[in-house]
Each structure stands twice: as C-alpha cells, then as structure tokens.
Amino acid sequence: MREVLDKYVAKYRPEFMDLRVFRRLSFSVMIQDGKADRILSRELWGACARALIDGAWGFSAINGTSREDFERILSEAARMAKASSKRLTERGVITKIEPVVDDVELPVKMRPEDIAIEDKVNELLKIEEEMRKYDPRIVNTVLSYNDSIDEEIVVNSLGTEVRQRITRTRIGAFVVTREAEVLQRASEVEAGTQGYEVVKRFIEENMHLKACERAVKLLSAEKPPAGKFTVVLDPSVVGLLVHEAFGHNSEADHVLSGESILSDKLGKEVASPLVTIIDDSTVEGAYGSYKYDSEGTPGRKRVIVENGVLKGFLHSLETAAKLNMEPNGSARADTHLWRPIVRMSNTYIAPGDWKFDEMIEDIKEGIYCKASRWGYVFTEKGQFTCNVDESYMIRNGEIREMLRNVSFGGLTLETLKRVDAVGRDFVLADKGICGKGGQGMFVGGGGPHIRIREVVVGGRR
Amino acid sequence: MIDLVELGRKAIEAAISEGAEQADVCVVLARVIAITVERGGIKLCDTTYDHGIGVRAYFKGGMGFASSQRLDLDSAIRAGVNAAKQAKQAQPDPDFVSLPEPKKAPFTLELCDKEIMEMEVERMVELTCEMIDAAKVSNDIIVNGGASCSYYRRAIINSLGVEVESEGTSINFSAFCIVKKGDDVGSYYEWDAGRRLKDVDPVRVGREAGEVCLKFLGAKKIETKPMTVVFNFLPASSIVSSALAAANAESIQRKRSFLMGKLGKKIAPEILTVYDDGTVNYGLRSSVYDGEGVPKRRICVIEKGVLKTYLHNSYTANKAKVENNACAVRGYGGPPGIGFSNVQISLGDWSLDEMIEETKEGIFIKAGWIGADPVTGSISTSIDFGFKIENGEIAYPIKGALIGGNILEMLANIDAISKEYREEPGNIFPAIRVKNVKIAGGK
C-alpha cells in the first residue's frame, strides 16, 4: 500500500493523501419463535482513498484490494479533488500530526470464531425457549446474535501506517406481548468490543427475561400524560440524552458547517454546573471503543463539558486544523465505502453525589424514564427527541404506575441547564448504532441517574 | 463487462452441489458519484464502485445466507458453498414451501436515463452549484446538502430457473438551509429524486429550502392540548408509509404488527385509498421483478379505508396460501425482506389552503418524519418543522412541541385530503388533516 500511495503522492503532490483497506467478516444467527432457521455470514472487503489537492477534497472507494484497484481509486480521488475545486468556499486543511506506526488488536477473552456454530445455536435456543415459556401472553420472540471481526489498515502521506483489528459481539432479545387488542414490545441488548463473553454475561444477568418481564408489564401500563414534568432518567436514557442532545452538537464538523448550537460557546456555560460530559474511546470492551480512528489518529478520553462549561469538541484531522485545536481521534468511517467523519465513541455524564432516593423524594409529580429506545436531533436548532421503553409516574416522592411509550424532547441548552441532581451511580448502559450522514457507527453511552426540571413529555392523555 | 447472470449460475451450482435443496442469488454492480455541500461550497466529490453477490440456500426449509463484495468466480463459488453449509446447520422450517418458479412479466419498464449513465462529476458539480445559488435567497443563509447519481445492474437467479437482469439510474439533490439571528435559528430542507435528469430540479430544491428556512425564524412554544393537525405532503406520506410497513406479511405472521387481524376491516375513512405500485415507468422504486424475480404489480393496499391485503414475498405467501404480490426487496448484502415500492395516496377535494382556513386552532406540520412504532402503532415524536394555525391562518413557527397518539386513531380521525400533491416519480403524496391530536407544548 505504501509503495502505491507514494507513487501517487509523487504524481499529484497533494497536501494530503491516504489509502485505507477495510475488511469485515461477520456471522449472525436469528432465532424466531423457537427456530434457528436463519444463519448468515457476510464479507465486506475493499479500499478507499482520499486526496486533498489545492485545498479541495476528493474521495473514491472500491470493493477490491488489488494493486490495480488502489491505483484506480487514488487517481479517481485526485480527479474528484479537481472537480471539488470548481466551487471552493473554504480551503480544506489537515493537521500534520506525528506519524503513527502500529499494529494492534483490541483484547478478546472468548474468540467467537473459536466456538462452533452448533454450540452457539444450542446455547441461544435454550434461552429463547425460556423467553417463550415466560408468559402465555408472549406472542413473538426474536433472539439475534451477531459477531464480527473488523480489520482496518490506514496508510497516509504523513507517514502513518496503522493496522487495527476489532472483534465485536452483540446479542439482542426482542419480545412482543398481546392481550386483547393491546400489543406491546420490549428489547434488551448486550454488546461490546469483546468476544463471546458478551453472550455469557447476557445469560448470567437474565437479560432475555428482563425483556420478557417488561413486555408483559407494559400490557397493563397507562398511556403517558402530555405536558411539562420533572423527569428522572436512568443511565441508559442518560446515555441516549447526552448522545442526542449534546454529543452531536459537539462534533466539530457540525460546528464548522453551521449546524451546531455550540459554535460560539467554547469556554461558556452550556449546562448546569453539576454536568460534566465525557467522550471516551479507550473504555476497555465498550461498544464504541477503538485504539485508532479511521485516519490512524489515536483515540482518547475527551472532556467536552466540565462542571457546565464547554471545554472542547470532537475532531478529525481537518476540523482540528480549521479550529486550531488538537486532533483527538474522532474520525470514523462505516466500512471502506464511506469517508471518515467526526463521531462519538462512548459518551457519558460523569457521576455526582446524589442518591437515587434523594432524587425522587421531593418530586410531587414527575416521570421516571428507564430503558432507552431511540432518539434523534436537529443540531442547528438544538432540538432533540428521546424515546424510552419503560417509564413510571412519580407521585409525592414515590414511584407509582408504569407508563408505556414515553417520548420527551426539548431544546438542548435549556434542558441541560435544568439538570438539578446527578447521581453517584454509573453504568455505560446504552449500546447502539448511531446514524449520521448515511453512515452507521457503533457507539456507547451512559452515566448515573440524573434529574431534570420542566421537560416536555409527549403523551396521549 | 462482467456477466452477472453467469456468475450467479456458478454460485447456485456450488450451493446445490454442496447439498442445498434450493438456492437463489442477487448480484449487484453499481457506480455512484456523490457531492457534499458545506457552507455554500463543494466540500467533497466522491465516486464509489460498489458490487457484491449474496447467495441464499435452503435445506429442509432452514436458510443459510452468505455474501461477498468480490465478483470473481472463486468468491461466488465460496458464497454458494457457505450458504449451503449454513442452511444445513440451520433448523428445518416446515413453513418453507419453495422459491418462486420462473414467470415472465407481462410488461417492460423504462428505468434508465442515458444522461445519468454517462454523467461526469463536473456536470454534477455544475448542477449542484445551481442549487446552491438558488438557495441563497438571502446572504446570511448557510447552504449545506448534497447530490448524487448512480447507475446499477442487478441480476436475480434461482435454482428453479428464474434468471432476470435489470439496470437503472437514479439522481437526487438535497439542500439543508440554516439562518441565524443571534440565538434564533431557522432551518429547512428540501430534496428531489428521480431516475432521469429531467425529473429533478436542483434550482427548485435550493430556492424552496432557502425561502422556507427564513419562515422558521422566531419560533414560539405552545400550550399542551388536543388540536387539529394538517400534515403536509411528506409528513402525511410518513404516516401512510408507517401503515404500509406494518402490512408486512412476515410481521403479521410473526404476530408483531398492529395491523394483525385487520384484513378486510376498516382502518381509515372512505376518503383514503392507497396503492403500492412498482410498475410505473421511471418510478423511483419501480422494478419489473421483485427481489426474488417475481413480476411486480400494482397493489391496492387500502381501498376506501378498508385494508385489502398484506405485502408478501414467496415465503409468506406460501405460508398463508395466498397469491404472492411480489414485495420482496433485496440487495446483495442480506436475504430478501418485504417492503413497499411507490406509494400512491388517493387525492381529496380540498385545497391545502382550505384545510388550513377551516382550522380554528391547530398545527401545520410542514416537513419531518412522523412515524409509528411498527409493533404497537404508537406515535410519539417531536414536531421539528411545524407552524401554529390560529383562526384559519398560519400564525408562527413552533418549537419544543411533541405529537402523541396511535396511528390507528390518527387514521380513523382523518377528515380531509388535499387535491394538491407532491409528485416524486411514481409516488403521489397529498396533504392530510387529522382531528383531535394530542400535542405537548413547552409553554
């Protein structure tokens, strides 16, 4: 790769050029209603190149890794950069970091490829059976298992040559319950940059049965009320909130494109003084972890907000150069078919000193939100939405009736300033795929329990 | 040029010799040119060559699937062998009957535009710049967005003799405009998509996004109460699309859809009729054959408010012992799923202006996706691009509000459909008005 890259660097004399090879081998089993009737394996394998020439960017990708393929995409990337130069409003730049040469693999305890398909299937069948037998009101059960091994090689004109291997394992249980005309659903997921130990933990903690229990309880849950409430969020919902409401706004590409409400807020108060927000790609085993990003820059722990004050952004080599800040290894790409863009890794609120009981004891009427489901944000307005699986009314300091399908939303800065209690517990409970600009990416999130005043809850009564 | 059908045959031969009872293959070859726009300039041009092969094999109804992004003979054979091995490791499924037999479609379709097949990146840049210039209706508007065009060839082959090959083109432009006055932010997006260059209008896309983002300045919070909601074309299409997604026969058979047990029943007022039509020339989601090689058709899903059919592939149709209505959707990276193609919603006799004029107090949702949970039908999401309607007039943009309800309640409460509509090639999306929707505000 180095030799071909050097040839094209000599030919085009770019400010920057890189060549990246990506390969993913993945394996999945799906068990539905008692049968492991779908077994899948996939191979993604190809290369991409970027060129920055006279301040203009070009990118090209191909599902191939021969020398001919490399030559094709390097010259295409240069041609694309020339096309970009026709309407350049701002020159592209890149931070010239110290080159990195490394070959790493994130640690794995039980390699999924060492476990026979038959053994995986038998173990999964057993717990799926427990799900079906949990309650007669369960009408559909899906247990999905997936493991993948990614290998990414990044070679660039700064001298970086990084090879990284990451194994990921994920297991998810999905349950549908029915009683008369009411249908409800619940799910539980365990996932990490780990091996088959993820499945062992899922089973040990009976997470599949937690999904069943919730789906059954939701059948008799109340419709949520609509209006403004004090809300208490569990660590998984805190992970979702901090990711959607704040994290996306701290991605420096949004800051540069005018799509962030934080562009002029560095050093200013953007949240309650109780709030410290961290994005950390170095948490061992977490779903959003990695050692190097897709530009070959080392990932690290990044403090975004400290005691309510905005301290920094997440960067690629380019955004760091444009904002004159230090790169922090946040540029990741979804396979070789996409260019690296600024992404979160594992994003969380740091713990405070409140006990859970203290948080709820003086709430007259509020809502306790547990188990995150989905969320999204329009960063330019800072308007976010979070949806949760399981919620409860809080009345006079006590957790009362269960509520189904609660969404809450609002304006980021307003909402984070209303955080008035941060718990002393801590779990990285949220594991998922985040979508941005058409690319999916593995992320994690969490924190302690927190309490927020005056949050708009979308209800049905 | 690679012979996709021949490659597919080899993969099937490999799967059958490895012991599979039946097998099918999808082979895709695509070229995409894409442009990213940031702050009114071209941020990046890119070109990607994406191709791959996906083989599905059956053994006693158990399914194995293997895919590769290589289109050489070795990779095709390996995918066939792996799919067959995995099918034998999967558990038998007695509900599997057979893959489809070959059947020639009684029609042909135009899906390719020579101008797009021969498109150069420089021409795409010119068109994108026209969009950017049109969006700059005021100097302080930030224009982001992009454009892309693609050409693909696809072959579907199965062990019963299905061999179909197709090619198509597509092009799209999108603009996302932002205007800031201090902490006050207005934003809006617009797009256009088609299979032919002449079906898209980058200038209109830019102008619309630029003009409307200004109207979202000065957004206010509103009170919490039930109100009438006028869903503009795209939000209306998102609600109807949620219903079509829930009509997926696999979800019905697996008992995880709110449309379970609703076949032949009234789920909306008489004014609502919905077609899924994959047979429109140059339609965005048209194809002569579905993802399993079965001829597409025009399907009436909701007729005068009554749910007429579910959407099937060969597996679900055989299991339900009904005719397969060819809704298998497929790429090379996974086994076929079920999905709808072009959505055509019946037009009403109201003008959009009349729908707003006759609303004393309500919300006009101009854009954004308002979707339902596919299992429960529950809707609970933010209104990201909405206006307050007061005394029959658009009063001001709103912020921080959520909409809540259930799709079956909302469908039942539709009281008006517009005669104007948004036409995306093959699709017809009118506006829809719904009474008595719960709105949560932050005031």
Side-chain angles (χ1 to χ4, degrees):
Chain A
M1 285 171 73
R2 168 59 66 193
E3 187 208 333
V4 189
L5 180 72
D6 286 349
K7 179 178 151 190
Y8 282 82
V9 167
K11 181 171 176 189
Y12 294 106
R13 307 220 159 270
E15 287 101 281
F16 177 79
M17 210 169 210
D18 69 0
L19 187 56
R20 184 163 58 86
V21 164
F22 177 87
R23 186 178 196 184
R24 173 177 297 157
L25 294 171
S26 65
F27 172 82
S28 321
V29 181
M30 195 182 223
I31 300 180
Q32 295 196 78
D33 302 325
K35 277 192 214 81
D37 54 9
R38 289 180 190 188
I39 298 180
L40 297 83
S41 62
R42 296 182 177 91
E43 179 189 63
L44 305 178
W45 195 9
C48 62
R50 289 190 301 172
L52 178 63
I53 301 173
D54 295 333
W57 280 103
F59 174 85
S60 183
I62 192 162
N63 297 349
T65 51
S66 66
R67 186 185 173 98
E68 194 185 24
D69 292 324
F70 292 161
E71 300 220 6
R72 183 172 180 184
I73 56 175
L74 282 162
S75 58
E76 278 281 310
R79 192 167 85 86
M80 292 293 128
K82 188 157 179 255
S84 298
S85 69
K86 293 279 161 29
R87 175 74 71 100
L88 211 56
T89 45
E90 201 177 344
R91 286 179 66 89
V93 282
I94 202 115
T95 310
K96 299 209 165 28
I97 57 161
E98 274 298 305
V100 182
V101 177
D102 202 359
D103 187 342
V104 293
E105 175 168 13
L106 298 200
V108 180
K109 288 194 185 110
M110 300 171 73
R111 288 191 180 279
E113 64 271 31
D114 290 347
I115 295 162
I117 294 181
E118 204 184 338
D119 295 343
K120 288 178 186 167
V121 169
N122 286 338
E123 184 148 42
L124 297 170
L125 275 169
K126 208 170 131 229
I127 61 168
E128 199 265 355
E129 189 181 0
E130 291 174 12
M131 287 164 67
R132 276 180 293 120
K133 289 186 173 162
Y134 183 85
D135 190 287
R137 287 167 287 183
I138 289 176
V139 293
N140 178 224
T141 50
V142 182
L143 189 67
S144 52
Y145 167 86
N146 178 264
D147 61 54
S148 63
I149 300 161
D150 286 5
E151 188 172 288
E152 192 170 47
I153 305 168
V154 181
V155 175
N156 72 27
S157 55
L158 304 174
T160 287
E161 289 182 26
V162 166
R163 179 197 292 262
Q164 175 172 246
R165 196 176 142 107
I166 300 181
T167 298
R168 291 188 188 85
T169 304
R170 180 191 183 279
I171 177 166
F174 173 85
V175 186
V176 180
T177 50
R178 185 184 191 187
E179 192 161 43
E181 286 292 290
V182 180
L183 273 179
Q184 285 298 311
R185 43 155 280 184
S187 56
E188 281 288 338
V189 170
E190 183 59 293
T193 48
Q194 300 170 45
Y196 200 70
E197 60 268 25
V198 166
V199 174
K200 296 291 181 193
R201 196 164 57 239
F202 185 87
I203 296 172
E204 255 167 46
E205 293 178 12
N206 278 319
M207 290 176 76
H208 56 303
L209 299 182
K210 281 182 194 156
C212 296
E213 184 189 356
R214 184 180 313 128
V216 169
K217 276 162 66 182
L218 280 169
L219 285 170
S220 50
E222 305 277 332
K223 291 175 186 172
K228 273 202 285 195
F229 293 90
T230 295
V231 298
V232 174
L233 311 179
D234 91 338
S236 79
V237 185
V238 168
L240 180 68
L241 173 80
V242 77
H243 177 100
E244 298 299 348
F246 207 89
H248 280 301
N249 265 294
S250 72
E251 293 164 345
D253 53 349
H254 282 320
V255 173
L256 287 163
S257 68
E259 288 183 31
S260 169
I261 47 165
L262 300 178
S263 50
D264 55 353
K265 299 277 191 292
L266 209 60
K268 294 186 181 154
E269 196 175 291
V270 291
S272 144
L274 300 175
V275 175
T276 290
I277 299 173
I278 310 281
D279 183 83
D280 188 354
S281 56
T282 68
V283 183
E284 191 175 321
Y287 207 37
S289 292
Y290 51 88
K291 176 124 194 244
Y292 295 99
D293 73 359
S294 302
E295 293 184 319
T297 310
R300 59 164 88 162
K301 183 174 174 178
R302 310 141 185 124
V303 178
I304 301 169
V305 172
E306 193 169 29
N307 303 324
V309 176
L310 183 66
K311 290 289 184 182
F313 300 122
L314 302 179
H315 287 292
S316 63
L317 289 177
E318 177 170 42
T319 65
K322 283 190 169 169
L323 292 169
N324 201 20
M325 296 167 91
E326 206 182 331
N328 49 25
S330 303
R332 294 201 283 164
D334 178 3
T335 78
H336 57 282
L337 289 172
W338 298 88
R339 73 187 167 108
I341 55 172
V342 179
R343 305 305 299 250
M344 283 170 262
S345 58
N346 306 293
T347 318
Y348 58 84
I349 287 185
D353 57 8
W354 284 67
K355 286 183 188 156
F356 180 71
D357 291 347
E358 289 169 356
M359 249 184 235
I360 60 164
E361 69 187 9
D362 63 343
I363 298 175
K364 212 165 157 236
E365 189 182 46
I367 296 176
Y368 176 34
C369 298
K370 283 179 83 168
S372 61
R373 194 185 280 174
W374 53 261
Y376 69 89
V377 64
F378 279 93
T379 49
E380 80 288 355
K381 293 188 283 198
Q383 182 159 300
F384 68 91
T385 309
C386 293
N387 182 273
V388 297
D389 241 10
E390 178 179 354
S391 308
Y392 298 87
M393 280 307 295
I394 303 171
R395 289 184 212 284
N396 300 318
E398 281 179 21
I399 292 176
R400 305 294 288 270
E401 73 272 20
M402 192 181 196
L403 303 172
R404 63 169 68 134
N405 195 43
V406 167
S407 279
F408 65 91
L411 304 167
T412 297
L413 297 179
E414 209 174 82
T415 306
L416 286 178
K417 282 181 182 162
R418 289 183 184 148
V419 173
D420 71 349
V422 175
R424 55 176 64 177
D425 55 334
F426 182 83
V427 192
L428 270 183
D430 201 34
K431 292 133 195 171
I433 306 283
C434 165
K436 177 179 171 185
Q439 303 193 40
M441 190 49 69
F442 308 98
V443 293
H449 279 82
I450 68 167
R451 184 175 70 192
I452 318 176
R453 301 282 182 191
E454 293 181 51
V455 173
V456 183
V457 174
R460 292 171 59 192
R461 64 180 160 95
Chain B
M1 203 157 95
I2 300 175
D3 185 341
L4 302 184
V5 172
E6 183 55 28
L7 200 66
R9 284 186 198 130
K10 295 287 184 216
I12 290 192
E13 280 167 21
I16 299 296
S17 20
E18 190 62 32
E21 291 167 351
Q22 292 192 352
D24 71 355
V25 176
C26 175
V27 196
V28 178
L29 188 70
R31 183 200 72 157
V32 183
I33 296 172
I35 291 165
T36 307
V37 174
E38 187 175 293
R39 284 190 172 262
I42 304 296
K43 163 84 184 167
L44 173 83
C45 292
D46 66 76
T47 177
T48 54
Y49 303 91
D50 184 14
H51 48 246
I53 179 166
V55 186
R56 177 172 64 159
Y58 282 98
F59 183 78
K60 298 193 189 310
M63 190 193 89
F65 173 87
S67 70
S68 167
Q69 286 186 319
R70 298 296 163 91
L71 290 189
D72 53 72
L73 189 59
D74 283 353
S75 301
I77 289 172
R78 197 169 57 243
V81 168
N82 286 342
K85 279 184 177 164
Q86 287 161 199
K88 289 196 282 187
Q89 283 175 303
Q91 290 183 301
D93 179 357
D95 291 325
F96 173 79
V97 179
S98 173
L99 289 173
E101 296 280 348
K103 187 178 175 187
K104 193 168 165 41
F107 62 95
T108 57
L109 281 181
E110 299 294 331
L111 301 171
C112 242
D113 179 12
K114 200 157 177 282
E115 277 191 286
I116 296 179
M117 285 172 77
E118 295 167 358
M119 180 69 79
E120 292 290 342
V121 64
E122 290 78 12
R123 174 82 178 119
M124 280 298 283
V125 166
E126 275 170 33
L127 293 166
T128 305
C129 288
E130 287 175 20
M131 176 184 82
I132 296 169
D133 293 339
K136 285 261 177 196
V137 292
S138 148
N139 270 340
D140 49 1
I141 291 178
I142 298 170
V143 188
N144 295 332
S148 76
C149 69
S150 69
Y151 165 70
Y152 67 86
R153 285 199 292 139
R154 181 178 87 157
I156 307 280
I157 303 108
N158 80 16
S159 55
L160 302 176
V162 165
E163 284 189 358
V164 299
E165 196 175 1
S166 60
E167 60 176 356
T169 52
S170 71
I171 184 162
N172 72 75
F173 290 89
S174 67
F176 186 63
C177 289
I178 303 162
V179 61
K180 296 181 177 182
K181 308 270 184 203
D183 280 341
D184 188 10
V185 180
S187 64
Y188 195 64
Y189 64 91
E190 179 56 275
W191 77 76
D192 222 351
R195 284 184 176 274
R196 289 180 295 189
L197 187 56
K198 68 181 201 185
D199 288 336
V200 292
D201 183 351
V203 171
R204 183 197 70 80
V205 169
R207 194 170 51 228
E208 175 81 2
E211 284 174 357
V212 180
C213 81
L214 295 169
K215 294 182 181 164
F216 278 98
L217 282 170
K220 296 181 192 173
K221 290 183 182 173
I222 55 167
E223 286 175 12
T224 296
K225 60 166 125 172
M227 278 185 250
T228 295
V229 175
V230 178
F231 293 91
N232 197 27
F233 312 132
L234 287 172
S237 80
S238 68
I239 293 193
V240 172
S241 298
S242 285
L244 290 179
N248 176 325
E250 185 177 5
S251 301
I252 301 293
Q253 291 172 357
R254 298 280 184 186
K255 302 190 177 69
R256 55 174 179 241
S257 163
F258 60 84
L259 288 181
M260 199 168 45
K262 301 284 184 203
L263 199 63
K265 296 198 175 137
K266 205 167 170 63
I267 59 164
E270 279 211 358
I271 51 173
L272 186 74
T273 292
V274 181
Y275 283 92
D276 167 8
D277 188 355
T279 67
V280 188
N281 266 329
Y282 297 111
L284 272 178
R285 284 175 287 278
S286 292
S287 58
V288 178
Y289 296 94
D290 79 346
E292 296 183 310
V294 181
K296 289 291 291 178
R297 53 180 74 186
R298 184 166 198 249
I299 307 163
C300 182
V301 185
I302 299 171
E303 187 179 35
K304 294 184 175 173
V306 176
L307 181 66
K308 298 297 282 185
T309 185
Y310 294 131
L311 306 180
H312 286 280
N313 60 14
S314 65
Y315 175 91
T316 62
N318 285 332
K319 186 171 172 177
K321 299 189 172 62
V322 296
E323 199 186 350
N324 180 2
N325 55 18
C327 293
V329 291
R330 185 179 207 171
Y332 68 80
I338 293 176
F340 52 86
S341 57
N342 303 300
V343 179
Q344 299 173 351
I345 305 168
S346 56
L347 301 180
D349 46 15
W350 290 69
S351 74
L352 183 55
D353 284 347
E354 284 165 1
M355 285 162 74
I356 292 168
E357 275 162 28
E358 297 211 2
T359 300
K360 193 162 180 303
E361 186 180 23
I363 304 292
F364 175 53
I365 303 182
K366 172 91 174 153
W369 182 263
I370 309 288
D373 182 282
V375 178
T376 64
S378 168
I379 292 175
S380 186
T381 190
S382 286
I383 300 171
D384 294 302
F385 299 95
F387 292 96
K388 183 79 194 297
I389 303 171
E390 286 179 356
N391 299 314
E393 287 182 4
I394 301 280
Y396 50 83
I398 61 169
K399 63 180 173 184
L402 286 102
I403 180 169
N406 184 284
I407 188 170
L408 292 173
E409 280 166 24
M410 282 201 200
L411 288 174
N413 288 338
I414 291 174
D415 80 334
I417 299 180
S418 72
K419 54 188 170 196
E420 302 103 318
Y421 60 95
R422 179 183 173 103
E423 185 178 9
E424 294 189 356
N427 296 268
I428 295 170
F429 304 142
I432 286 173
R433 188 173 71 181
V434 181
K435 291 282 192 195
N436 200 24
V437 180
K438 190 78 190 181
I439 303 294
K443 196 168 170 180

